[in-house]
């Protein structure tokens, strides 16, 4: 169960998170020989940019912080290429403005200040900042409560995975859908009468999609389903008395109230 009391264990750390300041403007310093210090710095930066551009990774590659070397989740990233990059601050960069910080609950319980330190380093970089948490403890509730609070206060999207495979799939999915339109992952509206009927039955809580399909396969059509007694409904595999009573009551409620 969640602890309803105040949890201020991270307040001090959150209050100290630094917001990156604007870059300082270089001052023009003219030397005796007529050259300027700023010209030399501009030339030096230009050389660095050319060198960086020549080593620029492909845009379809997931950038991985070398600190993640040896993490088993890398073996589960199979559908998107990835490569180590020493220049990035987050654990994974999955887009030009998207990054992922990885954290296991076991490590978080041993080092509760770790995530705040990482957020200080990250600053305000990236528009989409994901905190990928692997739930690998038997009692995750208190830790998840604290991490949820941190995520809300620091503009993080909290994602949970229960094993290495799920964590790897989440990372590669963010990369694969980087440039996809939003409607691609929106829920599709079913068009066939059968699918519409299944969808309608699942609106009766706690009937799920599997229950709805089983009911239609058992009774053949909606008329037989409506005419079935609550005792007969409870005999359907996977339904049980509680779901059967709720379904029976809903199907026999009048549509119009007097």
């Amino acid at each position: 169960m969640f602890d309803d009391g105040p949890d201020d264990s991270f307040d001090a750390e959150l209050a100290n998170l630094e917001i990156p300041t604007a870059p300082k403007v270089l001052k023009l310093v003219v030397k005796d020989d007529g050259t300027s210090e700023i010209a030399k710095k501009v030339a030096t930066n230009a050389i660095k940019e050319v060198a960086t551009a020549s080593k620029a990774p492909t845009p379809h590659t997931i950038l991985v912080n070398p600190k993640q070397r040896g993490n088993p989740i890398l073996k589960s990233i199979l559908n998107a290429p990835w490569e180590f990059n020493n220049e990035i601050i987050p654990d994974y960069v999955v887009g030009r403005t998207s990054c992922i910080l990885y954290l296991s609950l076991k490590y978080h319980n041993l080092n509760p200040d770790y995530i705040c330190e990482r957020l200080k380093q990250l600053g305000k970089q990236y528009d989409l900042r994901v905190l990928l948490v692997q739930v690998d403890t038997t009692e995750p509730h208190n830790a998840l409560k604290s991490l949820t609070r941190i995520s809300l206060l620091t503009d993080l999207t909290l994602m949970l995975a229960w094993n290495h495979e799920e964590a790897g799939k989440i990372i590669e999915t963010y990369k694969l859908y980087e440039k996809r339109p939003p409607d691609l992952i929106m829920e599709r509206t079913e068009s066939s009468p059968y699918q519409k009927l299944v969808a309608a039955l699942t609106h009766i809580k706690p009937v799920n999609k599997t229950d709805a399909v089983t009911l239609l396969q058992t009774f053949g059509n909606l008329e037989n389903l409506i005419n079935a007694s609550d005792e007969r409904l409870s005999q359907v595999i996977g339904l049980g008395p509680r779901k059967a009573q709720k379904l029976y009551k809903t199907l026999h409620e009048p549509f119009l109230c007097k």
Side-chain angles (χ1 to χ4, degrees):
M1 297 294 292
F2 287 102
D3 181 9
D4 294 331
D7 181 4
D8 58 356
S9 58
F10 292 98
D11 284 351
E13 288 292 340
L14 291 174
N16 292 328
L17 288 180
E18 298 179 357
I19 299 176
T21 57
K24 296 181 179 179
V25 178
L26 294 175
K27 295 182 179 180
L28 183 62
V29 180
V30 180
K31 295 187 175 182
D32 296 337
D33 58 359
T35 62
S36 64
E37 188 68 22
I38 192 171
K40 289 187 176 181
K41 290 185 177 181
V42 170
T44 302
N45 290 336
I47 294 174
K48 290 181 179 179
E49 290 178 1
V50 171
T52 302
S54 63
K55 299 179 181 179
T58 57
H60 302 293
T61 301
I62 298 173
L63 302 183
V64 182
N65 193 309
K67 293 180 180 179
Q68 291 293 299
R69 193 183 302 273
N71 193 329
I73 68 177
L74 293 175
K75 297 179 180 179
S76 300
I77 303 178
L78 304 175
N79 299 311
W82 57 268
E83 63 183 50
F84 291 111
N85 188 293
N86 294 314
E87 304 297 327
I88 64 173
I89 295 176
D91 295 316
Y92 303 91
V93 173
V94 291
R96 296 186 182 278
T97 59
S98 307
C99 73
I100 295 176
L101 293 175
Y102 170 79
L103 179 67
S104 77
L105 284 189
K106 284 184 179 179
Y107 188 85
H108 174 68
N109 289 335
L110 294 174
N111 301 276
D113 295 332
Y114 169 79
I115 185 60
C116 290
E117 292 299 325
R118 295 300 308 277
L119 288 172
K120 285 182 182 179
Q121 297 171 6
L122 190 61
K124 289 287 185 178
Q125 297 183 49
Y126 301 97
D127 296 332
L128 175 62
R129 299 129 54 88
V130 178
L131 176 58
L132 175 57
V133 176
Q134 183 171 329
V135 182
D136 51 3
T137 61
T138 56
E139 296 294 337
H141 302 94
N142 289 332
L144 289 178
K145 180 181 178 181
S146 297
L147 290 173
T148 299
R149 186 162 176 260
I150 291 175
S151 299
L152 291 173
L153 294 174
T154 57
D155 194 25
L156 290 173
T157 298
L158 181 62
M159 296 291 292
L160 303 182
W162 270 257
N163 52 54
H164 295 125
E165 290 75 16
E166 285 187 1
K169 292 300 179 184
I170 290 174
I171 293 173
E172 73 174 21
T173 299
Y174 268 106
K175 184 61 181 178
L176 294 173
Y177 282 83
E178 175 189 4
K179 299 180 180 179
R180 304 293 181 88
D183 57 355
L184 187 66
I185 58 176
M186 293 175 63
E187 183 179 3
R188 278 13 178 223
T189 303
E190 304 293 351
S191 56
S192 69
Y194 174 81
Q195 294 295 339
K196 288 182 178 180
L197 186 53
V198 169
L201 289 173
T202 56
H203 280 80
I204 304 173
K205 294 183 178 180
V207 178
N208 55 42
K209 188 173 182 179
T210 301
D211 297 330
V213 172
T214 304
L215 286 166
L216 293 178
Q217 291 176 345
T218 302
F219 295 100
N221 55 54
L222 183 59
E223 181 180 3
N224 293 337
L225 175 60
I226 294 175
N227 292 331
S229 64
D230 57 347
E231 182 179 359
R232 175 68 184 92
L233 291 174
S234 65
Q235 296 173 357
V236 175
I237 298 175
L239 208 63
R242 185 173 67 92
K243 289 184 180 181
Q245 292 175 5
K246 179 65 176 178
L247 176 61
Y248 181 85
K249 180 181 179 181
T250 302
L251 292 176
H252 290 82
E253 284 183 351
F255 287 99
L256 297 177
C257 297
K258 295 182 180 180

mmCIF file of all heavy atoms in Angstrom, residues 199-221:
data_model
loop_
_atom_site.group_PDB
_atom_site.id
_atom_site.type_symbol
_atom_site.label_atom_id
_atom_site.label_comp_id
_atom_site.label_asym_id
_atom_site.label_seq_id
_atom_site.Cartn_x
_atom_site.Cartn_y
_atom_site.Cartn_z
ATOM 1 N N ALA A 199 -16.456 -4.415 -28.365
ATOM 2 C CA ALA A 199 -16.087 -3.153 -27.717
ATOM 3 C C ALA A 199 -17.187 -2.677 -26.768
ATOM 4 O O ALA A 199 -16.900 -2.166 -25.677
ATOM 5 C CB ALA A 199 -15.796 -2.098 -28.771
ATOM 6 N N ALA A 200 -18.449 -2.867 -27.169
ATOM 7 C CA ALA A 200 -19.566 -2.441 -26.317
ATOM 8 C C ALA A 200 -19.614 -3.249 -25.029
ATOM 9 O O ALA A 200 -19.837 -2.702 -23.942
ATOM 10 C CB ALA A 200 -20.878 -2.585 -27.086
ATOM 11 N N LEU A 201 -19.372 -4.554 -25.123
ATOM 12 C CA LEU A 201 -19.414 -5.403 -23.929
ATOM 13 C C LEU A 201 -18.280 -5.062 -22.958
ATOM 14 O O LEU A 201 -18.444 -5.176 -21.743
ATOM 15 C CB LEU A 201 -19.349 -6.881 -24.332
ATOM 16 C CG LEU A 201 -20.598 -7.449 -25.026
ATOM 17 C CD1 LEU A 201 -20.342 -8.873 -25.518
ATOM 18 C CD2 LEU A 201 -21.792 -7.416 -24.076
ATOM 19 N N THR A 202 -17.128 -4.658 -23.498
ATOM 20 C CA THR A 202 -16.005 -4.340 -22.617
ATOM 21 C C THR A 202 -16.212 -3.025 -21.852
ATOM 22 O O THR A 202 -15.473 -2.740 -20.924
ATOM 23 C CB THR A 202 -14.694 -4.247 -23.420
ATOM 24 O OG1 THR A 202 -14.841 -3.270 -24.472
ATOM 25 C CG2 THR A 202 -14.333 -5.590 -24.034
ATOM 26 N N HIS A 203 -17.231 -2.247 -22.237
ATOM 27 C CA HIS A 203 -17.545 -1.037 -21.481
ATOM 28 C C HIS A 203 -18.288 -1.374 -20.191
ATOM 29 O O HIS A 203 -18.499 -0.489 -19.351
ATOM 30 C CB HIS A 203 -18.386 -0.080 -22.333
ATOM 31 C CG HIS A 203 -17.578 0.717 -23.310
ATOM 32 N ND1 HIS A 203 -17.156 0.208 -24.509
ATOM 33 C CD2 HIS A 203 -17.095 1.985 -23.245
ATOM 34 C CE1 HIS A 203 -16.453 1.129 -25.159
ATOM 35 N NE2 HIS A 203 -16.393 2.211 -24.419
ATOM 36 N N ILE A 204 -18.695 -2.638 -20.045
ATOM 37 C CA ILE A 204 -19.347 -3.086 -18.812
ATOM 38 C C ILE A 204 -18.264 -3.593 -17.867
ATOM 39 O O ILE A 204 -17.712 -4.680 -18.053
ATOM 40 C CB ILE A 204 -20.370 -4.212 -19.103
ATOM 41 C CG1 ILE A 204 -21.407 -3.747 -20.131
ATOM 42 C CG2 ILE A 204 -21.057 -4.650 -17.811
ATOM 43 C CD1 ILE A 204 -22.342 -4.852 -20.589
ATOM 44 N N LYS A 205 -17.909 -2.826 -16.895
ATOM 45 C CA LYS A 205 -16.871 -3.241 -15.951
ATOM 46 C C LYS A 205 -17.434 -4.308 -15.024
ATOM 47 O O LYS A 205 -18.591 -4.198 -14.584
ATOM 48 C CB LYS A 205 -16.380 -2.044 -15.147
ATOM 49 C CG LYS A 205 -15.666 -1.007 -15.998
ATOM 50 C CD LYS A 205 -15.142 0.122 -15.132
ATOM 51 C CE LYS A 205 -14.387 1.146 -15.980
ATOM 52 N NZ LYS A 205 -13.864 2.271 -15.169
ATOM 53 N N PRO A 206 -16.687 -5.387 -14.742
ATOM 54 C CA PRO A 206 -15.282 -5.627 -15.078
ATOM 55 C C PRO A 206 -15.090 -6.588 -16.252
ATOM 56 O O PRO A 206 -14.140 -7.362 -16.268
ATOM 57 C CB PRO A 206 -14.765 -6.256 -13.791
ATOM 58 C CG PRO A 206 -15.919 -7.055 -13.288
ATOM 59 C CD PRO A 206 -17.158 -6.326 -13.706
ATOM 60 N N VAL A 207 -15.973 -6.549 -17.257
ATOM 61 C CA VAL A 207 -15.850 -7.429 -18.418
ATOM 62 C C VAL A 207 -14.715 -6.936 -19.312
ATOM 63 O O VAL A 207 -14.698 -5.764 -19.704
ATOM 64 C CB VAL A 207 -17.171 -7.474 -19.211
ATOM 65 C CG1 VAL A 207 -17.027 -8.348 -20.459
ATOM 66 C CG2 VAL A 207 -18.297 -8.007 -18.331
ATOM 67 N N ASN A 208 -13.746 -7.812 -19.627
ATOM 68 C CA ASN A 208 -12.645 -7.429 -20.501
ATOM 69 C C ASN A 208 -12.857 -7.998 -21.906
ATOM 70 O O ASN A 208 -13.861 -8.665 -22.176
ATOM 71 C CB ASN A 208 -11.297 -7.889 -19.929
ATOM 72 C CG ASN A 208 -11.258 -9.382 -19.650
ATOM 73 O OD1 ASN A 208 -11.732 -10.192 -20.441
ATOM 74 N ND2 ASN A 208 -10.682 -9.756 -18.515
ATOM 75 N N LYS A 209 -11.925 -7.749 -22.800
ATOM 76 C CA LYS A 209 -12.074 -8.162 -24.193
ATOM 77 C C LYS A 209 -12.135 -9.683 -24.326
ATOM 78 O O LYS A 209 -12.916 -10.215 -25.124
ATOM 79 C CB LYS A 209 -10.923 -7.603 -25.034
ATOM 80 C CG LYS A 209 -11.101 -7.823 -26.529
ATOM 81 C CD LYS A 209 -10.024 -7.098 -27.319
ATOM 82 C CE LYS A 209 -10.232 -7.270 -28.814
ATOM 83 N NZ LYS A 209 -9.188 -6.543 -29.598
ATOM 84 N N THR A 210 -11.314 -10.388 -23.535
ATOM 85 C CA THR A 210 -11.330 -11.848 -23.576
ATOM 86 C C THR A 210 -12.691 -12.378 -23.146
ATOM 87 O O THR A 210 -13.235 -13.315 -23.757
ATOM 88 C CB THR A 210 -10.225 -12.416 -22.674
ATOM 89 O OG1 THR A 210 -8.959 -11.924 -23.107
ATOM 90 C CG2 THR A 210 -10.221 -13.937 -22.713
ATOM 91 N N ASP A 211 -13.272 -11.784 -22.092
ATOM 92 C CA ASP A 211 -14.607 -12.185 -21.635
ATOM 93 C C ASP A 211 -15.643 -11.957 -22.727
ATOM 94 O O ASP A 211 -16.509 -12.813 -22.970
ATOM 95 C CB ASP A 211 -15.004 -11.392 -20.389
ATOM 96 C CG ASP A 211 -14.081 -11.664 -19.212
ATOM 97 O OD1 ASP A 211 -13.549 -12.779 -19.129
ATOM 98 O OD2 ASP A 211 -13.893 -10.749 -18.393
ATOM 99 N N ALA A 212 -15.569 -10.815 -23.400
ATOM 100 C CA ALA A 212 -16.551 -10.485 -24.434
ATOM 101 C C ALA A 212 -16.490 -11.471 -25.594
ATOM 102 O O ALA A 212 -17.524 -11.939 -26.093
ATOM 103 C CB ALA A 212 -16.311 -9.060 -24.933
ATOM 104 N N VAL A 213 -15.268 -11.801 -26.039
ATOM 105 C CA VAL A 213 -15.115 -12.761 -27.128
ATOM 106 C C VAL A 213 -15.650 -14.132 -26.716
ATOM 107 O O VAL A 213 -16.348 -14.806 -27.483
ATOM 108 C CB VAL A 213 -13.638 -12.857 -27.544
ATOM 109 C CG1 VAL A 213 -13.427 -14.000 -28.538
ATOM 110 C CG2 VAL A 213 -13.164 -11.545 -28.145
ATOM 111 N N THR A 214 -15.350 -14.554 -25.488
ATOM 112 C CA THR A 214 -15.820 -15.855 -24.993
ATOM 113 C C THR A 214 -17.335 -15.900 -24.919
ATOM 114 O O THR A 214 -17.966 -16.912 -25.270
ATOM 115 C CB THR A 214 -15.217 -16.140 -23.606
ATOM 116 O OG1 THR A 214 -13.798 -16.082 -23.678
ATOM 117 C CG2 THR A 214 -15.630 -17.513 -23.103
ATOM 118 N N LEU A 215 -17.954 -14.806 -24.463
ATOM 119 C CA LEU A 215 -19.416 -14.741 -24.368
ATOM 120 C C LEU A 215 -20.069 -14.881 -25.733
ATOM 121 O O LEU A 215 -21.047 -15.634 -25.907
ATOM 122 C CB LEU A 215 -19.837 -13.428 -23.715
ATOM 123 C CG LEU A 215 -19.616 -13.319 -22.206
ATOM 124 C CD1 LEU A 215 -19.757 -11.877 -21.741
ATOM 125 C CD2 LEU A 215 -20.602 -14.221 -21.459
ATOM 126 N N LEU A 216 -19.550 -14.175 -26.726
ATOM 127 C CA LEU A 216 -20.137 -14.240 -28.069
ATOM 128 C C LEU A 216 -19.917 -15.608 -28.705
ATOM 129 O O LEU A 216 -20.778 -16.108 -29.442
ATOM 130 C CB LEU A 216 -19.546 -13.137 -28.944
ATOM 131 C CG LEU A 216 -19.912 -11.705 -28.531
ATOM 132 C CD1 LEU A 216 -19.233 -10.693 -29.435
ATOM 133 C CD2 LEU A 216 -21.421 -11.504 -28.572
ATOM 134 N N GLN A 217 -18.777 -16.221 -28.432
ATOM 135 C CA GLN A 217 -18.537 -17.560 -28.946
ATOM 136 C C GLN A 217 -19.437 -18.586 -28.268
ATOM 137 O O GLN A 217 -19.859 -19.562 -28.893
ATOM 138 C CB GLN A 217 -17.068 -17.942 -28.746
ATOM 139 C CG GLN A 217 -16.094 -17.157 -29.621
ATOM 140 C CD GLN A 217 -14.650 -17.495 -29.319
ATOM 141 O OE1 GLN A 217 -14.335 -18.098 -28.291
ATOM 142 N NE2 GLN A 217 -13.751 -17.094 -30.208
ATOM 143 N N THR A 218 -19.770 -18.371 -27.009
ATOM 144 C CA THR A 218 -20.591 -19.314 -26.250
ATOM 145 C C THR A 218 -22.059 -19.224 -26.636
ATOM 146 O O THR A 218 -22.730 -20.249 -26.849
ATOM 147 C CB THR A 218 -20.442 -19.056 -24.737
ATOM 148 O OG1 THR A 218 -19.064 -19.184 -24.373
ATOM 149 C CG2 THR A 218 -21.278 -20.043 -23.931
ATOM 150 N N PHE A 219 -22.574 -17.989 -26.762
ATOM 151 C CA PHE A 219 -24.011 -17.805 -27.000
ATOM 152 C C PHE A 219 -24.357 -17.562 -28.466
ATOM 153 O O PHE A 219 -25.527 -17.624 -28.843
ATOM 154 C CB PHE A 219 -24.539 -16.662 -26.132
ATOM 155 C CG PHE A 219 -24.476 -16.959 -24.658
ATOM 156 C CD1 PHE A 219 -23.460 -16.453 -23.873
ATOM 157 C CD2 PHE A 219 -25.430 -17.779 -24.063
ATOM 158 C CE1 PHE A 219 -23.396 -16.731 -22.527
ATOM 159 C CE2 PHE A 219 -25.377 -18.067 -22.708
ATOM 160 C CZ PHE A 219 -24.350 -17.544 -21.931
ATOM 161 N N GLY A 220 -23.377 -17.256 -29.294
ATOM 162 C CA GLY A 220 -23.625 -17.147 -30.728
ATOM 163 C C GLY A 220 -24.104 -15.798 -31.187
ATOM 164 O O GLY A 220 -23.681 -15.322 -32.250
ATOM 165 N N ASN A 221 -24.983 -15.134 -30.447
ATOM 166 C CA ASN A 221 -25.466 -13.818 -30.833
ATOM 167 C C ASN A 221 -25.909 -13.050 -29.599
ATOM 168 O O ASN A 221 -25.980 -13.592 -28.485
ATOM 169 C CB ASN A 221 -26.613 -13.919 -31.846
ATOM 170 C CG ASN A 221 -27.762 -14.783 -31.332
ATOM 171 O OD1 ASN A 221 -28.303 -14.551 -30.244
ATOM 172 N ND2 ASN A 221 -28.131 -15.794 -32.116
#
